[in-house]
């Protein structure tokens, strides 16, 4: 990929509305800003080869090259990407399990990594009660991590917090991200335009399963008309055929039809072929049909190692992931790929 | 000043005291019995623009406020690239130039949109467009005296010292009292004197 | 002590054209002078204001030109001599009143001086104001030089009293702002006491009475101009080319003929009384030439008027080739210059223009192309407008609805340029920004989705903004008015305005407070310091989300005004170790985009530096720097 600058990023991604709000371009310079869910270009930049263009998952993504970089192998396009192990998992800590979206696996792994010193900081997605918008968080304590538990279902510019962690000098950063965010993180490690030692400093990448995400501005605005969004404790989208989004709030449950929400899905999501964060060290998603549990895919040595240690230390409970479910998962993932390739043509 | 009309251009950047300098010279020449016309462009010049004052000095007639192209006899430049601009339009092989060497960078240069010519090349070009050329570090000397704006008086002194203008310290003093105030006299006389000395020290080119 | 009030008849001094006009008015015994500042006219009232107290005359900076003319007219209908001065746009503002006043006439003397700005060097438009004289049936004179400027004003007052009507004088930049020799005349010994004769009414109707009357008065002026020495001829008895010129054209034509050595072949008929035209002298010279070249500033006014005379008398006249703007011989826009006039006369007469040899000309062209980078207009270092527009720019981007900023006149008009980040999308007349914004602010009813912002300065606010503001409020228009209040009429030279606590002559005045006007109208009015960038941006953003007419006053002193009174606000410095300059993450935001002249880019070191000679210490750049490399310390 030829690395261009902000003008080209704007032309290819921002202006056509193909930004997934991953946040990779935000926070590192005064020209691009995340503002209430939107990526805003404030001025033109004269840098010819910029980090914004290089790290953006939407400018160009060479799956072969990234696969070589992450796995040392050619790209596996068979549905789930390159996989090491695929299991079912949940946190053994009841508090973490209850805070988590499915089984609390992501939270448990991050807590363990921080407590071990395996990481010195965790880049997660949290919600600022003052702003009501989900956003990136640099978590430095277990409490910080617990506060970020739960799916947000929006593009939250979370990678701006990764930029913050890098600028603040953290050396062993753990990151949780959506598939597009994971792709940006891998591009960061590969290009590392300003030689910030990113390959080494980004210690472990935990990817989430994702079919699509809402534009946070549209979503929050929609919800705000129905309730005070600060009362929301958890958001959950049950598997088909439910076709709904469930809100667990301080004052009870609410259900919203997905038909009402579909217009708010980010345009970029329809171009994305990656459902299971194929380039992460570990990928975690819901276990359809088994509430309270996660599907857990390990891909790299680092990922496998972390999961193994977590299980050995009694942080995670691991079970076999049945073949039928695996087939179902693959089919869903291939479906997203098909959707994306149809969109490209 | 054998030529009639004698065409003098004082040029610089807005805020350098261009207008005042031309007024002082003009009023002195009127006192000496000349018909003087001074043409200027200002208004927006405070805000970083080029400023030119055209002085037409004649014993015979009131001339128009602008010098025709290629007809300047003397150019007093408070800024070197303005000297080039003026000589490019109004210079001829007989023009004499007295030039302050300190650049004032246009905002377009500062913002990196274009380069400012290297000073030695600029001086070379100015020399090639004039019969004789006096380069003076007038701003630096003016700052030593207390304010960069005194550069204009230093250059008037230099022109007078080189025999290019029939301006004396005494005549300047009267003009300063008329156009500025009595308190300004001493420092301006000092600047004028300094200019006359500086030009005598210079090897003429 | 000012030269224009000097009691030294016969003394020869160097005066600016505008000063000569002021001196002429003084010698003619004016009692009242009023104006609104506008280039190139401002020094007329400016210099009269300096000597007003000394001479016992009344001088004011009025809120706009219509009111200025009305103020002068009040004096003129009360038996006094009054002068009003304005630039071309000002005459447009005053025209409604003028086109009534000409029909009512006056009972004293009133001279209206209009100063046009050919090429619009410091204007928003280019315009030839002389047609107003024909439109209003008023006599008009155009000075060709400085002594004449003074003399014409004296004659104008004399004529004005004789015909009981306004007399106009039209000047241009090259006369008004240029300086030349003037011999001072006598100062008046006494002045009339104002009195309005209430036994008679002044109305412009019925037309059957007033319209013929104004024509009669114009005929009186025609008579008066017949033998005027302001119209003169120099040249051979039967020139092969006759130049008919007026105003600034004369000196250019004279010098061109001289340089080309054409004194025996080309004649110059200079007209000073350009409306009504002195037919006799014109006909006399038309009879003696086959070719006429018209040289005048801006439009072919003299050209067309002479052709009317030719048409009326064509039976008695030979065939003549008329050359000028209509024939394309001279450009029909832009100001005259010696080079242009020389070139045209040389082409018409087949004479060579003396010039240096080609090698010199090549060097000269090289100098112009490569050795003098252009100097675009820029806000001064420390100008609050730079900070205001920076905040507006960011707020509009964050708002994301492609908001439209309607610009207005003053230093802040530079927002149409990169120095103001190209924020202003329109620029017309005084107060038009808010007028258009209030018009745009009702288009949401027709489907528009872009928010409307208007900017205006403090002086502009008083001049023209209030009617549009009232209109916007009444029509429930949705727009944000941002008043850029730097407490100055800066662009024209810092004249006082109704918000000042002193007036034109330095006496105490009653300041009219902008926010009090806005609040009295019931408008939400917020006041903010633009140097606090973050707060200002946030306020603008919030106010953009609101509906209805609302006002934000960004109040901070003009850098030039402050610079005269106090030392630098802060000491500002750049830490070169932190400055990342051209790198990804900065891309020279401060010098490339923010563009304050106090910031220098050191190409050799690839770092930004502060230019101590220019920096005023406002410290805004410290807040702009994305990596905190710029420091401001309060001394």
């Amino acid at each position: 990929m030829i690395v261009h600058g902000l003008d080209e990023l704007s032309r290819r991604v921002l202006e056509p509305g193909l930004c997934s709000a991953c946040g990779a371009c935000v926070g590192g310079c005064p020209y691009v800003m995340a503002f209430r869910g939107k990526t805003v270009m404030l001025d033109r930049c004269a840098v010819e080869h910029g980090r914004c263009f290089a790290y953006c998952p939407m400018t160009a993504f060479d799956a072969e090259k990234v696969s070589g970089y992450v796995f040392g192998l050619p790209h596996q396009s068979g549905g789930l990407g390159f996989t090491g192990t695929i299991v079912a998992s949940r946190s053994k800590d009841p508090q973490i399990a209850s805070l988590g979206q499915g089984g609390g696996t992501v939270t448990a792994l991050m807590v363990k990594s921080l407590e071990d010193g395996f990481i010195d900081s965790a880049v997660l997605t949290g919600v600022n009660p003052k702003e009501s918008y989900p956003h990136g968080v640099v978590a430095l304590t277990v409490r910080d991590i617990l506060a970020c538990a739960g799916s947000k279902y929006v593009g939250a510019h979370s990678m701006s917090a990764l930029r913050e962690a890098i600028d603040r000098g953290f050396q062993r950063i753990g990151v949780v991200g959506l598939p597009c965010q994971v792709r940006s993180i891998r591009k960061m490690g590969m290009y590392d335009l300003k030689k910030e030692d990113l390959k080494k400093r980004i210690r472990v990448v935990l990817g989430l399963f994702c079919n699509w995400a809402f534009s946070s501005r549209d979503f929050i605005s929609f919800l705000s008309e129905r309730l005070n969004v600060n009362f929301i404790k958890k958001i959950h989208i049950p598997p088909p055929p439910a076709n709904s989004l469930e809100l667990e709030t301080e004052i009870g449950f609410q259900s919203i039809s997905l038909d009402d929400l579909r217009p708010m899905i980010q345009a970029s999501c329809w171009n994305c072929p990656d459902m299971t964060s194929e380039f992460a060290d570990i990928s975690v998603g819901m276990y359809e049909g088994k509430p309270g549990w996660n599907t857990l895919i390990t891909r790299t040595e680092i990922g496998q190692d972390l999961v193994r240690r977590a299980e050995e230390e009694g942080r995670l409970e691991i079970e076999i992931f049945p073949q039928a479910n695996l087939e179902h998962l693959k089919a869903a993932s291939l479906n997203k790929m098909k959707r994306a390739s149809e969109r490209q043509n | 000043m054998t030529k009639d009309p004698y065409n003098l251009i004082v040029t610089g950047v807005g805020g350098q005291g261009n207008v005042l300098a031309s007024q002082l010279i003009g009023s002195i020449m009127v006192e000496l019995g000349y018909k003087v016309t001074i043409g200027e462009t200002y208004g927006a010049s405070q805000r970083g623009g080029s400023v030119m004052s055209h002085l037409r000095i004649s014993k015979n007639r009131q001339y128009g406020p602008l010098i025709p192209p290629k007809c300047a006899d003397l150019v007093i430049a408070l800024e070197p690239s303005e000297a080039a601009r003026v000589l490019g339009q109004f210079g001829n092989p007989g023009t004499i130039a007295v030039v302050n060497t300190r650049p004032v960078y246009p905002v377009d240069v500062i913002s990196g949109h274009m380069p400012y010519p290297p000073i030695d090349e600029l001086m070379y070009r100015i020399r090639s467009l004039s019969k004789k050329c006096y380069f003076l570090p007038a701003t630096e000397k003016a700052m030593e005296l207390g304010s960069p704006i005194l550069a204009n008086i230093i250059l008037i002194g230099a022109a007078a010292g080189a025999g290019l203008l029939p301006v004396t310290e005494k005549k300047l003093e009267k003009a300063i009292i008329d156009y500025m105030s009595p308190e300004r006299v001493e420092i301006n006389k000092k600047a004028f004197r300094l200019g006359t000395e500086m030009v005598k020290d210079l090897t003429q080119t | 002590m000012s030269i224009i009030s000097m009691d030294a008849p016969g003394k020869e001094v160097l005066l600016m054209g505008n000063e000569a006009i002021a001196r002429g008015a003084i010698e003619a015994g004016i009692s009242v002078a009023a104006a609104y500042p506008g280039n190139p006219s401002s020094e007329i009232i400016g210099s009269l204001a300096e000597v007003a107290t000394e001479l016992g005359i009344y001088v004011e900076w009025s809120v706009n030109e219509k009111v200025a003319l009305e103020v002068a007219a009040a004096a003129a209908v009360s038996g006094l001599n009054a002068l009003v001065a304005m630039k071309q746009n000002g005459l447009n503002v005053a025209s409604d009143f003028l086109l009534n006043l000409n029909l009512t006439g006056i009972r004293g003397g009133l001279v209206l001086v209009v100063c046009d700005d050919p090429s619009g060097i410091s204007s928003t438009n280019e315009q030839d104001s002389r047609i107003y004289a024909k439109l209003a049936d008023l006599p008009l004179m155009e000075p060709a030089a400085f002594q004449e400027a003074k003399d014409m004003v004296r004659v104008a007052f004399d004529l004005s009293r004789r015909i009981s009507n306004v007399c106009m004088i039209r000047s241009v930049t090259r006369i008004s702002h240029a300086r030349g020799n003037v011999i001072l005349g006598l100062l008046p010994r006494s002045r009339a006491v104002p009195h309005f004769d209430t036994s008679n009414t002044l109305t412009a109707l019925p037309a059957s009475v007033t319209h013929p009357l104004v024509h009669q008065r114009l005929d009186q002026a025609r008579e008066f101009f017949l033998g005027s020495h302001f119209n003169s001829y120099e040249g051979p008895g039967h020139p092969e080319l006759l130049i008919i010129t007026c105003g600034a054209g004369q000196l250019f034509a004279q010098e061109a003929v001289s340089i080309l050595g054409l004194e025996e072949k080309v004649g110059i008929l200079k007209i000073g009384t350009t409306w009504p035209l002195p037919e006799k002298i014109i006909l006399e010279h038309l009879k003696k030439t086959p070719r006429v070249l018209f040289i005048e500033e801006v439009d072919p006014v003299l050209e067309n008027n002479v052709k009317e005379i030719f048409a009326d008398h064509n039976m008695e006249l030979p065939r003549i080739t008329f050359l000028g703007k209509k024939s394309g011989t001279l450009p029909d826009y832009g100001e005259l210059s010696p080079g242009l006039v020389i070139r045209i006369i040389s082409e018409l007469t087949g004479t060579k223009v003396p010039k240096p040899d080609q090698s010199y000309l090549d060097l000269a062209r090289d100098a112009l192309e490569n050795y003098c980078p252009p100097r675009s207009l820029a806000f001064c270092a420390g100008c609050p407008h730079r900070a205001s527009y920076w905040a507006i720019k960011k707020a509009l981007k964050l708002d994301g609805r492609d908001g439209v900023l309607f610009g207005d006149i003053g230093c802040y008009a530079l927002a149409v340029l990169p120095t103001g980040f190209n924020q202003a999308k329109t620029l017309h007349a005084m107060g038009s920004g808010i007028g258009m914004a209030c018009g745009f602010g009702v288009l949401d009813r027709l489907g528009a989705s872009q928010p409307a912002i208007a900017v205006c300065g403090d002086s502009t606010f008083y001049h023209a903004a209030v009617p549009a503001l009232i209109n916007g409020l009444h029509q429930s228009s949705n727009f944000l008015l941002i008043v850029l209040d730097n407490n100055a009429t800066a662009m024209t030279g810092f004249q006082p305005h109704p918000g000042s606590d002193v007036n034109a002559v330095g006496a105490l005045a009653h300041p009219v407070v902008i926010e009090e006007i806005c609040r009295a109208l019931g408008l939400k009015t917020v006041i903010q310091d633009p140097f606090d960038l973050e707060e200002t941006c946030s306020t603008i953003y919030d106010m953009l989300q609101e509906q209805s007419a609302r006002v934000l006053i960004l109040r901070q002193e003009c850098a030039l005004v402050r610079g005269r009174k106090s030392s630098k606000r802060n000491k500002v410095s750049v830490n070169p170790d932190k400055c990342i300059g051209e790198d990804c993450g900065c891309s020279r935001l401060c010098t490339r985009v923010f563009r304050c002249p106090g910031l220098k880019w050191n190409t050799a070191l690839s770092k930004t530096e502060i230019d101590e000679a220019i920096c005023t210490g406002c410290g805004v750049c410290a807040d702009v720097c994305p990596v905190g490399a710029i420091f401001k310390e309060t001394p």
Side-chain angles (χ1 to χ4, degrees), chain A residues 222-265:
Chain A
F222 181 90
L223 291 179
S224 302
E225 285 166 20
R226 284 157 180 72
L227 78 162
N228 182 338
V229 295
N230 289 324
F231 289 164
I232 297 175
K233 287 171 27 176
K234 222 183 221 178
I235 304 176
H236 173 55
I237 297 183
N243 200 37
S244 69
L245 179 136
E246 305 295 320
L247 293 173
E248 183 189 327
T249 79
E250 311 272 1
I251 49 171
F253 286 86
Q254 260 201 53
S255 179
I256 305 176
S257 162
L258 279 185
D259 293 335
D260 290 336
L261 295 170
R262 242 175 264 278
M264 288 163 219
I265 295 172

Side-chain angles (χ1 to χ4, degrees), chain A residues 111-339:
Chain A
V111 165
K112 179 201 156 33
S113 300
L114 189 67
E115 283 179 342
D116 282 354
F118 179 59
I119 60 178
D120 58 10
S121 52
V123 169
L124 309 169
T125 303
V127 183
N128 178 343
K130 275 189 265 159
E131 281 282 344
S132 310
Y133 277 85
H135 59 95
V137 170
V138 179
L140 300 176
T141 65
V142 171
R143 192 158 164 204
D144 291 341
I145 297 175
L146 296 180
C148 291
S151 297
K152 311 301 185 295
Y153 291 102
V154 297
H157 291 101
S158 314
M159 294 302 97
S160 64
L162 176 53
R163 168 47 48 197
E164 185 194 330
I166 295 164
D167 286 347
R168 282 169 69 178
F170 290 107
Q171 299 296 314
R172 300 183 304 283
I173 308 170
V175 194
V176 175
L178 297 172
C180 53
Q181 293 167 340
V182 170
R183 287 172 174 227
S184 79
I185 296 165
R186 293 313 187 193
K187 288 179 92 183
M188 281 182 209
M190 266 173 58
Y191 288 98
D192 197 3
L193 282 189
K194 288 187 85 165
K195 305 277 177 281
E196 298 172 284
D197 207 12
L198 297 181
K199 181 173 180 177
K200 201 173 104 203
R201 289 167 69 189
I202 299 172
R203 205 91 198 271
V204 64
V205 181
L206 240 125
L208 304 174
F209 291 4
C210 174
N211 229 332
W212 38 251
F214 296 120
S215 143
S216 61
R217 186 183 286 193
D218 295 346
F219 185 53
I220 300 296
S221 167
F222 181 90
L223 291 179
S224 302
E225 285 166 20
R226 284 157 180 72
L227 78 162
N228 182 338
V229 295
N230 289 324
F231 289 164
I232 297 175
K233 287 171 27 176
K234 222 183 221 178
I235 304 176
H236 173 55
I237 297 183
N243 200 37
S244 69
L245 179 136
E246 305 295 320
L247 293 173
E248 183 189 327
T249 79
E250 311 272 1
I251 49 171
F253 286 86
Q254 260 201 53
S255 179
I256 305 176
S257 162
L258 279 185
D259 293 335
D260 290 336
L261 295 170
R262 242 175 264 278
M264 288 163 219
I265 295 172
Q266 298 182 145
S268 55
C269 298
W270 304 120
N271 293 352
C272 176
D274 188 342
M275 196 187 87
T276 59
S277 289
E278 292 180 20
F279 298 96
D281 293 300
I282 299 168
S283 297
V284 180
M286 300 301 287
Y287 183 155
E288 278 188 21
K290 199 160 176 172
W293 281 83
N294 291 112
T295 311
L296 169 60
I297 304 176
T298 63
R299 303 186 191 270
T300 60
E301 257 187 62
I302 287 185
Q304 282 171 10
D305 210 58
L306 176 56
V307 168
R308 184 182 44 78
R309 282 185 286 118
E311 193 192 7
E312 278 168 13
E313 284 168 35
R315 306 278 195 143
L316 278 186
E317 187 178 337
I318 307 285
E319 267 185 18
I320 292 176
F321 193 66
Q323 187 62 30
N325 294 74
L326 185 54
E327 293 308 320
H328 182 70
L329 183 65
K330 251 191 220 175
S333 183
L334 282 167
N335 213 20
K336 188 178 182 190
M337 270 183 224
K338 185 160 159 259
R339 180 180 89 190

Side-chain angles (χ1 to χ4, degrees), chain B residues 21-101:
Chain B
S22 59
Q23 243 179 290
L24 293 172
I25 296 172
S27 68
I28 290 171
M29 302 309 291
V30 167
E31 291 271 324
L32 287 173
Y34 289 90
K35 296 240 179 283
V36 177
T37 306
I38 307 179
E40 266 148 21
T41 328
Y42 56 74
S45 64
Q46 275 279 29
R47 286 130 206 102
S50 307
V51 181
M52 260 198 300
S53 301
H54 289 210
L55 283 93
R56 324 294 312 277
I57 303 169
S58 168
K59 272 288 182 194
N60 308 319
R61 254 176 43 194
Q62 197 85 41
Y63 276 83
L66 291 175
I67 296 169
K70 315 293 180 217
C71 291
D73 299 306
L74 172 63
V75 173
I76 295 180
L78 295 163
E79 204 277 342
S81 73
E82 295 308 315
R85 199 190 313 277
V86 165
L87 287 168
Q89 296 170 272
F90 300 99
N92 58 71
T95 310
I96 301 184
V98 179
V99 181
N100 181 15
T101 48

Side-chain angles (χ1 to χ4, degrees), chain C residues 70-223:
Chain C
E70 288 155 352
V71 167
V77 301
S78 307
L80 303 178
N81 277 354
L83 178 86
V84 63
M86 55 195 70
K87 68 182 292 169
Q88 76 263 22
N89 311 86
L91 187 47
N92 302 339
V93 173
S95 60
D96 190 9
F97 181 65
L98 181 66
L99 288 158
N100 277 273
L101 185 64
N102 66 328
L103 293 175
T104 68
I106 56 179
R107 299 168 182 163
L110 204 168
V111 173
L112 191 161
V113 180
V114 59
C115 303
D116 284 346
D117 179 11
S119 285
I121 294 171
S122 26
S123 300
T124 52
N125 74 346
E126 177 178 58
Q127 172 185 316
D128 193 325
S129 300
R130 292 177 292 169
I131 52 142
Y132 275 104
K134 202 170 184 180
L135 174 62
D137 292 313
L138 295 172
L140 173 73
M141 287 186 275
E142 291 182 64
F146 315 94
Q147 180 68 44
E148 192 164 82
K150 181 173 84 78
D151 296 342
M152 275 183 177
V153 170
R154 297 186 56 176
V155 168
F157 274 107
D158 187 12
L159 175 60
S160 175
R161 290 195 88 94
R162 281 177 200 241
I163 65 173
S164 301
N165 212 341
V166 179
C167 192
M168 288 178 63
I169 289 188
R170 186 256 200 166
S171 177
V172 291
T173 310
R174 295 296 166 205
I175 301 291
S176 276
H177 276 175
R179 289 166 211 269
N181 298 51
V182 178
I183 298 176
L184 300 179
L186 288 162
L187 291 177
R189 294 292 154 217
S190 64
R191 228 169 251 105
V193 174
H195 177 76
F196 185 96
D197 179 359
T198 53
S199 66
N200 274 306
T201 316
L202 289 166
T203 60
L205 291 177
S208 56
V209 172
T210 60
H211 213 156
L213 181 56
V214 78
H215 293 154
Q216 278 168 39
R217 288 173 162 161
L218 193 65
D219 286 337
Q220 275 179 274
R222 198 186 313 270
E223 279 283 317

